[in-house]
Structures are given as structure tokens and as C-alpha cells.
Amino acid sequence: MLANRLIACFDVKDGRVTKAQQFQDNIDVGDPAELADRLYHEDVDEIVIYDIMASAQKRQIDLEMVRKAAHRTFVPLTVGGGIRHLEDMHAVLRAGAEKISIDSMAVRKPEIITQGSVEFGRQCIVLSMQVKRVDVTPSIPSGYEIAIDGARTYTGMDAVEWAKRGQDLGAGEIVVNSIDRDGTGAGYDLDITGMITEAVSLPVIASGGAGLVSHVSDAFAIGATGAIVSSMLYSPRVEHTLSVEEMKAQLVELGERVRPVHSAD
């Protein structure tokens, strides 16, 4: 059995890592390359960087920021924000990314998922989904709607149906990011994460809301193969953050299979 993944996520705005609550009220955390370097040396399994304003501002992702972060880490790096066409994908991969995250543009231009999958392989393409709990309707039978543009635009699309379509289009991984839980520390939204893990055969990553290590274990228990954490690692809003080593030690105590931490020489 493969080990589950502990994934650090940075929301970058104006070249700085920020931390939000429910996609609002971003506060400054620090330099993305410096934070990536720290967490890499703590043995985080992967790092995800989102340039959170690129799509809304209709500009290319900050490639220099990607290069600086990639230069200081040697774990898989996923990059998203402002990915509009294949040329942008080529650019972020040349800058040091290993995987490409598509969110808003995937909704506006679904064929970009297929184009990226054909060009680089399915394993390179991550479909990131912003999901919001809403009333169950005939058009949204799961009770979860897809939003884009940093949760500023609601699409009327059902989250489970979009996940299944993303798989059919060629995505290799799906990130389920709960708008309701984001930055709250109340735990991942296990309802929608579980629905999507059952609906697709791809690796599913839980995102949004982890405040306790047990929340990560809860996500693994319903089939997520990776869990994005941020607040517990570095948020100024958290009174006592944890190191990656502390988090992995607690996960092992909870019976989870995680990748080992390598002791310093």
C-alpha cells in the first residue's frame, strides 16, 4: 500500500505567501521560496503554490516566484494560477514545476485539461476545485457547487459531476477545496470529499479546513490519498503551529501510513 501524502499549500499574492479564511481576509506569512525551503527540509511530501490573483487579473503566473521556490526544493511542486493555454504550461514546467493545477480556466475552457494531458501526460494535470455547500437542486444534486476566480464567481455546476467530467477529460488528480472550511480549522468537508473519492478512480486530495492532525487522518479514512495543510504549518492565526515531523509522528500514532522523516545528519 502506498503511503498517503502530506502536502503544503501556499496561496501567493503580490509575491508573498498569505493565509485567508474562507477565501477572504488574507494576512501576510512570508516569502514563498524561504517557506518552501523550510518545509522541504522538514520532509513535507509535496508543495503546491497558487498564484491566487493571476486568473482574476488575467495575467500569466509569476514565473520568477516559481523558479525561486523550485530552486530550493526537491519534492514534487504543483503550480497553479493564470494557466490559460499550453504555452503557460510549458513555461511553469520549465520554471521547475512538476505538475500543473488548473481551476478557473478548466471551467471556462475544459479542453485545456485534455490538451495538457496529451502534451505532458495525465500525471502532470491536477484539476483543482473550489466547492461550496448549497441547497440540493436538480442541477446540483450533490448539494455542492463549483466556484471559480477565488470563490468570487459561482458557476451553477455540480461538484461531483465536474469531478467525473474532469477525469474523463484527462485530469490525473483532483483537489477538493472547501470554501466553507477554508482556514477555519474545523476539519475538511468530508461529505463532498468522500462523494468525489467514490465517484472517480483518480487520486483525490482533501483541502480546506485542517486544524488538527486527526482531521488529516479523517480525510485518509474516506479515501483521500493526500491532504493539503497550511494553517497548522505556518499560519500566524494559529497559536501553536506544528512541524512536518510532529504532524507525521502523530499520524503514525493514529495508524496512518506516511512517508518517513529523514533525521538530520
Side-chain angles (χ1 to χ4, degrees):
M1 181 183 294
L2 294 175
N4 290 320
R5 294 169 290 158
L6 198 62
I7 304 167
C9 179
F10 307 160
D11 288 342
V12 176
K13 182 179 181 181
D14 299 326
R16 302 281 292 179
V17 178
T18 64
K19 195 70 197 76
Q21 285 184 319
Q22 298 177 314
F23 285 61
Q24 299 178 15
D25 189 25
N26 291 72
I27 57 175
D28 184 78
V29 174
D31 178 77
E34 292 178 0
L35 187 56
D37 180 76
R38 189 195 103 194
L39 295 177
Y40 160 65
H41 282 97
E42 290 184 11
D43 283 316
V44 76
D45 298 317
E46 298 187 20
I47 294 173
V48 177
I49 298 178
Y50 296 129
D51 185 336
I52 61 173
M53 296 303 296
S55 292
Q57 295 173 350
K58 296 179 172 57
R59 61 168 172 81
Q60 187 181 48
I61 195 169
D62 183 348
L63 292 173
E64 183 59 24
M65 177 267 294
V66 175
R67 277 190 285 269
K68 287 179 179 178
H71 180 71
R72 297 176 69 167
T73 63
F74 297 92
V75 294
L77 175 64
T78 300
V79 174
I83 306 295
R84 298 163 295 179
H85 37 60
L86 280 177
E87 289 78 6
D88 288 328
M89 295 185 185
H90 277 285
V92 297
L93 292 173
R94 285 195 300 268
E98 292 191 19
K99 292 187 277 189
I100 301 153
S101 177
I102 317 172
D103 186 332
S104 301
M105 187 53 67
V107 171
R108 293 191 169 97
K109 184 182 171 184
E111 62 269 23
I112 196 172
I113 300 173
T114 306
Q115 291 167 356
S117 182
V118 170
E119 185 83 358
F120 308 109
R122 180 186 286 265
Q123 78 285 347
C124 276
I125 306 301
V126 179
L127 176 60
S128 181
M129 302 167 43
Q130 305 165 34
V131 301
K132 172 77 173 176
R133 188 188 288 269
V134 295
D135 292 335
V136 173
T137 63
S139 61
I140 308 179
S142 72
Y144 287 86
E145 184 176 357
I146 294 292
I148 58 175
D149 298 333
R152 290 182 289 275
T153 304
Y154 285 82
T155 65
M157 296 168 58
D158 181 78
V160 174
E161 292 305 312
W162 178 228
K164 292 191 290 188
R165 188 179 176 202
Q167 174 175 262
D168 292 342
L169 287 166
E173 229 173 50
I174 294 178
V175 175
V176 183
N177 192 6
S178 169
I179 296 167
D180 302 295
R181 299 297 185 94
D182 179 69
T184 64
Y188 303 106
D189 190 322
L190 300 179
D191 291 339
I192 183 57
T193 306
M195 280 190 271
I196 290 176
T197 63
E198 292 180 5
V200 302
S201 58
L202 302 176
V204 174
I205 299 168
S207 179
L212 301 170
V213 174
S214 61
H215 293 154
V216 177
S217 182
D218 292 340
F220 294 158
I222 59 156
T225 61
I228 283 179
V229 290
S230 54
S231 294
M232 287 192 291
L233 291 174
Y234 61 73
S235 175
R237 290 188 172 101
V238 175
E239 185 175 348
H240 176 63
T241 57
L242 298 173
S243 68
V244 174
E245 182 176 10
E246 288 171 324
M247 291 186 67
K248 287 189 173 183
Q250 289 188 37
L251 285 168
V252 169
E253 289 178 0
L254 291 169
E256 301 296 343
R257 187 180 178 88
V258 295
R259 297 172 184 177
V261 172
H262 301 96
S263 300
D265 293 334

